[in-house]
Every structure is written in C-alpha cells, then in structure tokens.
Amino acid sequence: MHTPTDEQAHAADAFRAGHHLVLQAGAGTGKTSTLTQLAADTQRRGRYLAFNKDIAHDAATRFPRTVICKTAHATAYAALGHRYTSRLNSPRQPAWKTGQALGITRPVRIGTHEIGPRLLSHTVLRTVTHFCHSADRALAHHHVPYLRGLSSPGEQKQLAQEVLPFASKAWEDLHHPDRGVVRFEHDHYLKMWALTEPRIEADFLFLDEAQDTNPVLEEVFTAQRSHTQLVMVGDSAQAIYGWRGARDVMTGFDATPLTLTRSFRFGPLIAEEANRWLTLADAPIRLTGTHDLATEVGSLTRPDAVLCRTNIGAMAEVMRLLSAGHRVALTRGQHQLTQLALAARDLQSGRRTTHPELVLFPSWGELQDYAAHDPAGRDLQPFIDLVDTHGTDAILTAVHQLTDETLAHVTVSTAHSAKGREWPTVRIGEDFLPPKDTDQNDAQGRPVPEPVSDTDARLAYVAVTRARRHLDLGGLNWINDRPWPCQGVQAETAAPAVRHEAPGDA
C-alpha cells in the first residue's frame, strides 16, 4: 500500500478508537486498501460483508486471516439457508406453472384490463421478491409491483387485493425445506434469516457498497451496534439501484463521518468532471485526482468502452459499431434485449406478448401511441425507434454477433453494469439526455431547463469515473451548454470541450 493519505490516517485513528464509522469513499479512492489496513492494524476479529461473490473472493485474498469475508447471502446460508439446499437446486419453471400450483387458474378484470393467469402469477412472484428486499415483517400492498398500463391508484389497489392472498400462500410454501411448488431463491433464505433477528459474532463489522444496501440487510447490520463496532463503507453518489429496492443508508447512519476523496484512478481533469455531477447530485464529497496521472477530456475515435444509460441505448450503440466493422462485446443485457425484441415481434405480428413490461398492450400501434403521448411511456421511445428503424430480425442478429470482451475492439455497457469497473478510455453513449426545458426563459431569452435529477447526476458520475486516461463526454456534452440548476443552486460554468493535462500539472 502507498503512504497513507491524511484521510486514510484519520480513518485508522478513528477505527482504533472504537467509533462506529461511516466512510464515504469516492470513485478510485482506495476503499478496499484502506479497509485492509484498518483490519491489519488490530488483533481483533472481524467480518466483511461484500456486495457480491467476486468482491468477497478478492477481499479474502487481501484481508488478514482475522477477517471473514463473505456476502450477506453466504452468511445467511451458513446460518439457515443450508436447510433449503434441495429446493435451491430445483429446476426452473415458467411462472404460470407455479401460479397454477398456487391456485391461479382464472383471469381477473381490473378496469378495462383483463389480467390473465400468466401475468398474475408473475406479479405474485415479484411481490414476494419485493417483500424479501424490504425490512417489513409481513407482506403488504406496497410490495405489489406497479403494472405499466394500469391508469389509476384504484386499479393498482384492486391488483394488490388480487395478488396478496396468493403471495402469502407462496411465502408459506417457501418455508418447507424439502417440498414446495415455488422455486426457492437465495433472497428467500436471506429474508428468513433476517426475520430471526440474527446476532453476528465479531469485534467489528465492515459493510461494503453500503449505498446500495437493501433495507433487509440494513436492518440486520444496524441491529449489531450494541455488541460490535460497525463500519459502513461506500459512496452515496453511486447509489444507483433504487429501482430494485436498494437505498442509500449511509447519510442517515448514526456514526462518525469520514471521507476518502483522493482518486488514484485518474488525474485532476476527470476528477473535475466528476465533481460537476457530484455538485448536481448534492453529494457529500468532492474528488481530487492524482497529479501524476496524465488524463484527457475530449473526443475519442476508438474508445475501449462505450457506456450507455439504458439497455436500449446500449443496443443502438452495438448496432452502430457492428455496422462500422468493429468486434463488439456487451456486458450483460443480452437476455433482456432478446426478450424485448421477441416481444416487439409478437406485437407487430398481432399477437399479445407475455413480456412483463409490455403485456397489457394488445398491438404494436398501441405501444407506439403510449410511448409517444403518455409521459409514463417516454422511456420506451428509444426502444420503439430502434425497432422501427432496424426491425426485430436485425436486433436479434446483432445480439448473436457479439463477441467475448477479451477479443473485442470495444466494450458496450450500461453505466449500471459498469459500476466497479474501469477502462483506459471511455466514451459516454448518446442516450444520456438533458433535462427538458421549462416554459420560462433566462435573461438571454433561452428556455430555462428543469433541474438535473439527483438520480441522473449519480448515474452520470458513475459513468465518467470509469475512465483512467481519456474521457469523451459524448451524450453528456450538454453539461457544457450552460449552468444547470439543481435544488436551488446552479452548476459551475462549463469548461472547454477538450482539455489535456500532463503528468505533474496542477
């Protein structure tokens, strides 16, 4: 490890003093190295809760043997989940078969929509998943997912009344270790373990990637504070998984606040770009880059990676690059894109689709109208355009032409999938759209834009901090157009579109 920064030394002092800590660690600031040093400087025994299995395996090679490195799921499995091993290994089956076994055999009518057994079964299983991610002790109406196309709160309430009895039956079914009709998933035993109010035996407990913690794990973690030292670690500005139940628990955690703000990934120019988005996100930290690292911000003709906002944007980028003769890799998302293309093919052929996002639309024309005219359908418009421009066969062909990342000229990824990764050169995809204009004008007569949402600012921050040497703002270049308002403040005036720095430049 390099000579500790003042912030890392401060963290070590606070840890030795036994304080509960919340450590805000910006992109590339040596978070894991810092935690490893904290653990190495004490004889106490600890636990490290990792975000996923790969991180846990890597941490186990870096932490001293006095620290057990596991995911929360692995911890829950050792305590309780092993009882359900036979059910975890059961074969997959369509949701409608599971629903049929639970007694879902007839359609229900909600408003003008007929909800068939297939969609009802899928919604029941998603309801159980939402419950498992929550800190709630019982299933409730708010666990029932919103269905695109239901137009009123009353219709959503009616859906919940139909779904909850079957969801309760499914949850009861999951409690049988050796038999059952619902496929047993890892989130199920994690929730069951959490409901036992477990005690984790350790002198200190590290929770990594805390900004993306589900409420179920947050409850388990905070319940340990009476008998162990808690250290919550992450980056609130990288809290980008709220759509799947995660939430940033760091800003409200009762502990000594500390920061790591010097990035060892890139130099000051990319740090400056990151700080523009941190300002818009009203984040608690700002970054400084490492002056010895040469970085550049400007146009790229051949980036190592292109980062997009959505799977649809990624697919459009894949098709553009393939048509230009490049070998292209796509990180995750292939399955989702294939399923969307097949759903579009069904609708265009006059058949209904079973895709959960599009199941309530009887035809392609109705989906086109919804995307064009309903504010709730705005996010589908790029998908509509992609299908109308290229056709579903071309999209499916493009997916099959993808290559392995080690052989690709360029990797395409969503910003979500790129989190935790880095590339030498990065271009931002064109689907990072600016906020819409309001009906007001500024002193120069230009329309005043809506504020940049903190959700969009956080995702942009994640995207721009994946580059080590060269960043092309691409679809985020609108940040250079003018100051952008956010929560009553305005972002700093944009810098020139292309800038360079040499090693050692201030």
Side-chain angles (χ1 to χ4, degrees):
M1 183 176 174
H2 56 79
T3 302
T5 65
D6 290 344
E7 290 176 323
Q8 290 169 329
H10 187 195
D13 291 341
F15 180 71
R16 280 192 294 269
H19 300 304
H20 298 304
L21 306 178
V22 57
L23 182 59
Q24 291 279 359
T29 56
K31 172 187 63 175
T32 304
S33 297
T34 302
L35 293 180
T36 302
Q37 194 59 48
L38 298 186
D41 287 346
T42 179
Q43 296 302 310
R44 296 182 298 155
R45 308 190 74 83
R47 283 180 173 261
Y48 169 88
L49 293 180
F51 186 67
N52 59 41
K53 188 184 299 184
D54 290 340
I55 294 174
H57 286 165
D58 178 66
T61 67
R62 302 175 65 178
F63 278 90
R65 285 183 290 180
T66 52
V67 178
I68 298 173
C69 301
K70 289 185 176 182
T71 64
H73 284 89
T75 305
Y77 182 85
L80 183 148
H82 64 276
R83 304 174 195 170
Y84 298 88
T85 300
S86 61
R87 290 194 65 175
L88 275 168
N89 295 327
S90 62
R92 295 181 180 273
Q93 68 173 353
W96 67 266
K97 280 193 173 183
T98 301
Q100 195 173 63
L102 291 171
I104 303 174
T105 58
R106 296 177 300 171
V108 297
R109 179 157 291 279
I110 298 178
T112 60
H113 300 287
E114 184 178 89
I115 309 296
R118 288 175 180 263
L119 177 56
L120 195 60
S121 300
H122 185 81
T123 305
V124 165
L125 297 181
R126 288 175 65 199
T127 297
V128 173
T129 298
H130 288 180
F131 167 63
C132 288
H133 291 166
S134 76
D136 301 324
R137 302 196 67 83
L139 282 153
H141 282 208
H142 62 269
H143 298 132
V144 179
Y146 167 79
L147 286 187
R148 190 189 292 270
L150 293 185
S151 58
S152 71
E155 290 179 345
Q156 186 66 23
K157 183 178 180 181
Q158 186 182 347
L159 175 68
Q161 291 170 344
E162 297 286 350
V163 165
L164 282 175
F166 291 112
S168 297
K169 190 173 181 180
W171 182 238
E172 181 182 352
D173 172 274
L174 288 165
H175 282 75
H176 300 290
D178 301 315
R179 58 181 174 82
V181 299
V182 181
R183 188 171 192 271
F184 199 92
E185 304 282 354
H186 295 279
D187 282 346
H188 296 147
Y189 67 72
L190 179 67
K191 179 64 174 179
M192 293 175 186
W193 174 67
L195 289 172
T196 67
E197 300 181 356
R199 177 185 171 99
I200 300 176
E201 297 296 342
D203 297 320
F204 60 87
L205 181 61
F206 293 160
L207 176 63
D208 198 5
E209 298 290 341
Q211 78 282 349
D212 288 323
T213 298
N214 284 331
V216 62
L217 180 55
E218 176 198 2
E219 183 182 48
V220 171
F221 179 79
T222 56
Q224 312 304 313
R225 74 180 300 140
S226 63
H227 70 274
T228 190
Q229 183 183 8
L230 302 182
V231 180
M232 189 177 279
V233 189
D235 184 352
S236 290
Q238 294 192 53
I240 59 174
Y241 289 108
W243 51 274
R244 73 178 190 191
R247 65 192 186 96
D248 174 23
V249 302
M250 299 183 68
T251 50
F253 183 56
D254 181 18
T256 300
L258 299 170
T259 59
L260 297 178
T261 60
R262 180 187 171 189
S263 180
F264 302 98
R265 180 179 298 163
F266 41 72
L269 285 182
I270 294 180
E272 182 182 336
E273 290 297 335
N275 288 337
R276 299 162 81 181
W277 301 103
L278 290 170
T279 299
L280 292 171
D282 197 24
I285 62 171
R286 301 292 183 270
L287 296 182
T288 57
T290 297
H291 287 278
D292 293 339
L293 298 178
T295 52
E296 183 177 345
V297 177
S299 297
L300 276 166
T301 56
R302 192 164 173 175
D304 296 299
V306 180
L307 306 185
C308 302
R309 188 179 187 278
T310 64
N311 279 321
I312 301 304
M315 189 68 246
E317 190 66 42
V318 163
M319 298 189 71
R320 187 189 68 79
L321 289 165
L322 286 173
S323 66
H326 296 290
R327 289 200 303 269
V328 183
L330 178 66
T331 59
R332 306 176 190 170
Q334 289 97 321
H335 175 72
Q336 294 94 321
L337 290 168
T338 299
Q339 295 306 111
L340 277 169
L342 292 173
R345 176 187 284 177
D346 285 341
L347 290 174
Q348 288 181 326
S349 301
R351 299 187 300 269
R352 281 188 175 269
T353 177
T354 58
H355 192 286
E357 277 286 286
L358 309 177
V359 70
L360 293 182
F361 297 95
S363 69
W364 183 249
E366 290 210 18
L367 182 61
Q368 287 173 313
D369 289 342
Y370 173 77
H373 304 298
D374 192 318
R378 184 187 177 205
D379 62 312
L380 285 175
Q381 192 60 58
F383 170 61
I384 304 293
D385 293 340
L386 189 68
V387 172
D388 287 343
T389 301
H390 299 282
T392 56
D393 289 345
I395 294 172
L396 292 169
T397 298
V399 171
H400 288 119
Q401 289 177 344
L402 294 169
T403 189
D404 184 81
E405 195 167 340
T406 58
L407 302 174
H409 295 153
V410 58
T411 296
V412 177
S413 175
T414 64
H416 285 93
S417 295
K419 187 178 173 187
R421 299 194 60 187
E422 58 186 60
W423 290 268
T425 63
V426 170
R427 179 167 60 79
I428 306 301
E430 297 301 321
D431 61 338
F432 281 86
L433 301 178
K436 294 183 294 185
D437 289 334
T438 66
D439 56 4
Q440 299 178 339
N441 293 327
D442 62 17
Q444 287 74 41
R446 299 176 302 180
V448 175
E450 293 180 354
V452 179
S453 74
D454 58 351
T455 300
D456 288 343
R458 289 196 300 269
L459 193 61
Y461 162 68
V462 170
V464 302
T465 54
R466 299 309 96 192
R468 293 198 305 268
R469 291 195 291 104
H470 192 139
L471 170 67
D472 182 346
L473 281 173
L476 287 173
N477 257 315
W478 51 262
I479 194 68
N480 292 318
D481 291 346
R482 57 186 129 162
W484 291 88
C486 179
Q487 299 191 16
V489 299
Q490 293 196 333
E492 294 179 1
T493 302
V498 180
R499 291 169 293 150
H500 305 265
E501 68 185 13
D505 283 355

